[in-house]
Amino acid sequence: MKITVNQEKKLFKLDTPKTSLVLGLADGKYLGQLYYGRRVRSMNFADLWHTEEYPGTPESAAREEGKFEDVFAYEYPASNNGNFNETCLSVSRPAIHENGHGTSEILVKPTFDSFEILNGKPDLEGLPHTFGDESSVQSLKIVLRDVNEKIRVELLYSAFADTDVITKSVKIVNEGEGVIYLNKALSACMTLNANPEERFEVLTLHGAWARERHMERVELGFGAFSRESYRGVSGHQENPFMALLSRGTTCDSGEVYAMHFVYSGNFLAKAIKNQFSQVRMVMGIHPEHFRWKLSSGESFQTPEVVMTYSASGLSEMTRSLHTLYRNHLIRGFYKDRRRPILINNWEATYFDFDSEKLQAIAEEAAKSGIEMLVMDDGWFGHRNGDDSSLGDWYVNEAKLTGGLKPLVDAVNKAGLKFGIWFEPENISPDSDVYRAHPDWVYQYPESTPVMVRHEYTADFCNPEVTEYVYSRLKAVLESANVEYVKWDMNRPITEGHSLFLPPDRQGEVLHRHILAVYAMQERLLKDFPQLLLENCTAGGGRFDPGMLYYSPQFWCSDDTDAVERLAIQEGTQLLYPLSTIGAHVSDVPNHTVGRVTPFATRGLVAMGGTFGYELDITKISDEDRAQIPVQVKLMKEFSELIRTGEYYRLASYRENNVYDSYMVVSNEKNHAVVFVVQVLSQPNEKSHILKLKGLKEEATYEVREVSVANGSKRLWGTYSGDVLMYAGLIVAREMADFTGLCLELTEIL
Ligand code: DGJ
């Protein structure tokens, strides 16, 4: 990576291994984007402003100021006076109106003030952020100022050495005397000066509970296309991601410009194609329900946006993001460690369990090499369903005889680690804590909060609430040898209103909530440095890069069906490393869709994630149980490869309606594993040809078929990398539904 500055022409060039971003100053004051794309050698860009001709900067062609505003590729467009494309910043001041007090939007036009190059990357206090040392990342801070309104805007860019990513974030400082309110403070803007004949598609991930992160592509027409969340969480429905693709982009060809938000709350991702066919993409905290008060001298830091460009299709975008998240976002004890293979009792018992039952599951699991038991929901208060006790974080001794410690000790004695479930952000109306403190949940005065899953959301803007919740979490974790926490959040936030905050701070509630979640998770990791934290939001409703800063893995979806998981995991793998994707083998008929699939196929699908079990191991059939030690052993063998290797998509069931396939190749390209699932058997179909990817052309590989049912490894043949990639392997069509195939490739030297 390299950041170069041309002082004379006022140009800035940020390079990653294969991309460049070039920014410049028109008339020495307006900061704009000149170029983003394939890496270029020179900075000879200033002439491309076209400012001498139409439309001209306001200074060079005063008559055309409005046109300048309308087409200039502003890096951080503010106040919409002539800038009819999307803006990033809107500010108001307190004002006295005829009918009383209010606020008035003010005109903010920040222009260039100064810049600074920083080796490494500064922390974004209180927010999750990517990181790196001086050898792996360089940063550029550009300061813009509105001298009239005394508002400073600091744009922070960081370019990485080992991946084609540039991050952007913004700090807004009130340098004036009075109060200002930020009505909108987005994090990033990108403008492509496209020609009318260039067409773009927009790729996003949409979903619902149990159907998270399905990929969708639509053509971007004139006007705007957005993905957004106002739910207080990033959401099952939308992921904070958007990519512009040149028309017809595939996994391996086409241009991709992507943005991904390192944030877990409300967001806006928007692409706009304007009258001149320019395309602008912006991303940031959603301005709806947002208004942040800044007194004199105070500042607001926006979360960061990850930006990547690929000239060779979607797979390269995926690998750039995976590298970034693995090396520069995930932290802590488990960053570079194999995660324990766990068994979770949710689908096994739901709320109906006691110490004896859990101990029996642990003892049986130990025989198969499973490494951790996770006690899910239902161990506290008087909770025997989802309608009570959230907030009463005290062990229910009617279920756990003698408390938590005897159970944890017994599980440890059986050879397993112990993990526990919490839902810290919510409170049940039927709880002692709610009866004592009805004001501790978000609500509008004199109105009852909206109930979702029999829950209200705890007012995390109130430090008394967060102190109480944290002290209970800590006490439980200190009471026994608990080595894992599943942090759940089962509802959206319906009331962005806190009884604790004054009226002029109500627009801060939803962002403050997320900051408080981050602060509590940070505290948890400081107090328990070896804790494995797995975030979860009724499945994968807050699976975003922000959460990965705290938890190296995230429960991907409550839908554990092997077929449904194909599209869910494909969309998730598109952005997130496989080692972050919580995936378990569950029992059949599947609890969400009722489908019956073979145990081996369920194992194969779960191997594309963290891998674990979610079933009553004491009750499943002997044949299924016999496969568990085989799967566990294989996963232990493959987990390093799956955690650190490069991911290549080979076929998508979502697209072909027949089968799904991807592979993971080690960084040295000497070891790979290929997964194939044939969903439905079809009549009169020929076999599939599987063209592998990411191998060394000249290397020779042994290809073995690995049985996920009995562990055997049968040699298929020995082939060169080029034959495997360009001619491919024949995968015979199976005369059955839901079959799986696993191939292991090992280079022969
Ligand atoms: C939703 C989660 O996704 C499930 O795995 C489980 O933990 C339940 N909540 C418990 O209420």
Side-chain angles (χ1 to χ4, degrees):
M1 87 282 163
K2 201 160 84 182
I3 296 179
T4 354
V5 179
N6 180 327
Q7 288 274 22
E8 188 206 337
K9 292 191 168 174
K10 295 284 184 296
L11 295 170
F12 307 88
K13 182 152 92 71
L14 293 91
D15 293 325
T16 66
K18 288 195 240 164
T19 71
S20 296
L21 170 68
V22 182
L23 311 176
L25 298 176
D27 268 353
K29 61 195 265 195
Y30 305 103
L31 181 70
Q33 181 191 310
L34 274 157
Y35 173 78
Y36 184 44
R38 269 174 211 266
R39 185 161 174 168
V40 288
R41 268 163 294 182
S42 104
M43 266 210 284
N44 188 15
F45 271 91
D47 301 344
L48 297 181
W49 278 129
H50 303 300
T51 50
E52 295 309 312
E53 50 183 76
Y54 167 85
T57 59
E59 281 69 11
S60 65
R63 193 173 72 88
E64 301 296 3
E65 180 173 358
K67 284 186 181 145
F68 172 77
E69 290 296 331
D70 213 9
V71 298
F72 187 63
Y74 273 113
E75 257 303 285
Y76 201 64
S79 304
N80 184 1
N81 73 325
N83 191 330
F84 299 121
N85 305 311
E86 188 72 22
T87 54
C88 290
L89 180 66
S90 151
V91 184
S92 53
R93 283 195 189 281
I96 299 169
H97 298 289
E98 228 175 278
N99 302 328
H101 293 264
T103 60
S104 281
E105 190 167 345
I106 55 171
L107 178 66
V108 184
K109 288 276 166 194
T111 50
F112 180 75
D113 178 87
S114 57
F115 76 92
E116 192 185 347
I117 292 181
L118 311 157
N119 290 323
K121 184 171 185 292
D123 290 351
L124 303 186
E125 217 191 310
L127 284 167
H129 55 270
T130 57
F131 52 80
D133 61 15
E134 301 190 352
S135 66
S136 60
V137 59
Q138 206 177 22
S139 304
L140 168 69
K141 191 197 277 184
I142 299 184
V143 178
L144 310 178
R145 260 208 171 89
D146 183 308
V147 282
N148 295 328
E149 295 294 348
K150 300 202 169 33
I151 292 171
R152 190 169 83 226
V153 176
E154 295 178 3
L155 305 174
L156 182 70
Y157 302 84
S158 300
F160 287 82
D162 59 351
T163 182
D164 287 304
V165 165
I166 291 174
T167 57
K168 290 186 174 187
S169 68
V170 185
K171 188 174 181 177
I172 293 139
V173 189
N174 178 4
E175 295 186 319
E177 297 297 317
V179 164
I180 58 171
Y181 293 96
L182 304 180
N183 308 317
K184 182 183 194 185
L186 301 187
S187 297
C189 173
M190 187 198 77
T191 311
L192 301 175
N193 268 320
N195 286 319
E197 68 275 16
E198 286 180 80
R199 295 268 205 278
F200 290 93
E201 293 172 62
V202 191
L203 169 69
T204 52
L205 300 175
H206 72 99
W209 173 78
R211 269 193 281 116
E212 296 90 336
R213 290 171 296 288
H214 282 231
M215 291 162 67
E216 186 180 54
R217 280 166 79 153
V218 294
E219 174 143 353
L220 180 67
F222 287 102
F225 177 90
S226 64
R227 282 277 181 228
E228 47 205 307
S229 167
Y230 330 95
R231 293 168 186 265
V233 294
S234 47
H236 297 86
Q237 293 72 10
E238 322 275 351
N239 204 259
F241 161 79
M242 181 172 271
L244 291 169
L245 318 179
S246 57
R247 204 185 216 175
T249 289
T250 66
C251 279
D252 304 308
S253 67
E255 288 191 290
V256 181
Y257 303 83
M259 283 188 181
H260 204 190
F261 202 19
V262 188
Y263 187 60
S264 313
N266 287 358
F267 73 90
L268 172 68
K270 196 165 178 180
I272 306 104
K273 181 172 168 178
N274 74 8
Q275 57 188 329
F276 305 112
S277 298
Q278 280 177 313
V279 175
R280 178 167 287 176
M281 179 158 62
V282 295
M283 187 172 270
I285 293 180
H286 206 299
E288 192 102 350
H289 309 304
F290 173 83
R291 199 172 75 138
W292 197 272
K293 179 178 176 183
L294 285 183
S295 298
S296 174
E298 286 183 345
S299 61
F300 180 80
Q301 174 64 58
T302 74
E304 130 178 306
V305 164
V306 165
M307 232 170 66
T308 184
Y309 167 81
S310 156
S312 357
L314 286 169
S315 292
E316 191 156 296
M317 171 200 79
T318 297
R319 287 192 293 278
S320 295
L321 294 177
H322 285 192
T323 304
L324 181 81
Y325 297 151
R326 280 200 294 237
N327 298 348
H328 304 285
L329 184 65
I330 293 171
R331 305 173 293 164
F333 186 74
Y334 281 100
K335 179 177 191 293
D336 298 315
R337 282 191 169 79
R338 188 174 72 73
R339 318 280 167 65
I341 294 180
L342 64 84
I343 184 159
N344 177 304
N345 73 309
W346 177 241
E347 287 197 24
T349 65
Y350 294 104
F351 297 96
D352 185 16
F353 63 86
D354 56 18
S355 307
E356 267 175 43
K357 177 74 217 171
L358 296 180
Q359 203 175 319
I361 292 180
E363 280 163 8
E364 187 57 50
K367 295 181 198 160
S368 301
I370 292 175
E371 299 161 303
M372 181 158 72
L373 172 81
V374 174
M375 177 173 68
D376 212 283
D377 195 349
W379 56 266
F380 50 92
H382 61 279
R383 188 153 165 107
N384 289 309
D386 64 9
D387 55 354
S388 84
S389 307
L390 292 178
D392 293 346
W393 301 113
Y394 295 88
V395 171
N396 178 353
E397 296 208 14
K399 282 185 173 177
L400 306 189
T401 323
L404 188 60
K405 191 163 181 345
L407 170 65
V408 178
D409 289 347
V411 170
N412 286 169
K413 196 159 163 239
L416 273 73
K417 295 176 189 293
F418 186 88
I420 198 167
W421 177 100
F422 285 99
E423 189 172 345
E425 295 160 74
N426 292 322
I427 289 183
S428 309
D430 177 9
S431 64
D432 293 341
V433 71
Y434 183 73
R435 280 182 282 271
H437 304 281
D439 56 325
W440 276 14
V441 300
Y442 292 127
Q443 58 197 281
Y444 289 98
E446 295 171 39
S447 124
T448 316
V450 169
M451 181 94 77
V452 183
R453 209 202 193 212
H454 306 290
E455 298 168 13
Y456 296 147
T457 303
D459 182 348
F460 268 31
C461 298
N462 181 346
E464 216 189 329
V465 179
T466 50
E467 277 312 306
Y468 163 77
V469 173
Y470 189 72
S471 69
R472 289 312 313 146
L473 251 72
K474 190 163 185 242
V476 172
L477 296 186
E478 281 173 345
S479 72
N481 183 27
V482 180
E483 299 179 73
Y484 160 109
V485 164
K486 179 175 177 185
W487 177 305
D488 205 345
M489 164 60 167
N490 282 300
R491 54 159 294 163
I493 306 178
T494 44
E495 283 75 25
H497 196 280
S498 156
L499 295 184
F500 174 78
L501 291 177
D504 62 349
R505 294 226 177 252
Q506 294 302 330
E508 301 177 11
V509 168
L510 295 176
H511 182 54
R512 278 183 187 273
H513 182 90
I514 297 297
L515 293 179
V517 169
Y518 290 152
M520 200 182 285
Q521 296 203 351
E522 187 71 33
R523 211 168 153 189
L524 204 55
L525 297 174
K526 285 228 162 67
D527 287 345
F528 304 93
Q530 297 198 359
L531 186 78
L532 174 57
L533 184 61
E534 175 157 354
N535 270 290
C536 166
T537 308
R542 198 161 55 184
F543 201 139
D544 55 59
M547 284 281 125
L548 294 188
Y549 188 65
Y550 306 93
S551 62
Q553 56 193 55
F554 204 108
W555 181 228
C556 180
S557 176
D558 279 343
D559 194 337
T560 52
D561 171 62
V563 175
E564 285 290 303
R565 275 278 178 146
L566 297 176
I568 297 172
Q569 291 185 190
E570 181 188 357
T572 312
Q573 290 162 347
L574 179 77
L575 308 181
Y576 303 94
L578 276 54
S579 63
T580 66
I581 301 174
H584 298 167
V585 178
S586 60
D587 204 0
V588 289
N590 179 267
H591 293 198
T592 317
V593 293
R595 186 176 289 118
V596 176
T597 52
F599 198 81
T601 305
R602 280 175 266 153
L604 196 87
V605 172
M607 283 179 171
T610 55
F611 196 78
Y613 293 87
E614 182 118 0
L615 41 72
D616 189 344
I617 194 169
T618 66
K619 284 199 183 141
I620 56 172
S621 71
D622 290 345
E623 300 90 272
D624 286 357
R625 195 182 307 107
Q627 293 186 38
I628 295 182
V630 173
Q631 295 180 350
V632 167
K633 183 166 170 287
L634 281 176
M635 193 56 198
K636 286 180 185 167
E637 260 177 65
F638 289 151
S639 70
E640 178 72 3
L641 171 63
I642 289 172
R643 191 173 55 74
T644 59
E646 299 212 315
Y647 163 86
Y648 293 85
R649 172 100 345 225
L650 305 180
S652 164
Y653 167 60
R654 194 180 41 81
E655 283 172 2
N656 64 31
N657 266 319
V658 184
Y659 75 111
D660 197 82
S661 181
Y662 63 90
M663 65 188 289
V664 183
V665 184
S666 70
N667 292 313
E668 298 74 34
K669 298 189 181 299
N670 57 0
H671 189 202
V673 61
V674 181
F675 297 110
V676 185
V677 174
Q678 174 182 289
V679 181
L680 293 181
S681 170
Q682 300 214 327
N684 195 18
E685 268 275 327
K686 72 173 184 54
S687 301
H688 315 304
I689 297 169
L690 208 59
K691 293 186 181 170
L692 305 189
K693 294 181 184 172
L695 303 173
K696 288 185 278 193
E697 286 182 349
E698 68 289 358
T700 307
Y701 297 90
E702 257 182 15
V703 179
R704 290 177 189 276
E705 178 178 343
V706 181
S707 163
V708 179
N710 64 28
S712 66
K713 295 191 177 183
R714 185 167 63 82
L715 186 65
W716 265 25
T718 302
Y719 309 95
S720 61
D722 50 7
V723 167
L724 290 169
M725 291 193 289
Y726 310 137
L729 287 167
I730 302 283
V731 175
R733 184 174 70 87
E734 298 274 348
M735 285 290 285
D737 294 340
F738 316 132
T739 58
L741 171 72
C742 175
L743 300 173
E744 183 177 11
L745 276 71
T746 316
E747 184 186 4
I748 317 178
L749 296 170

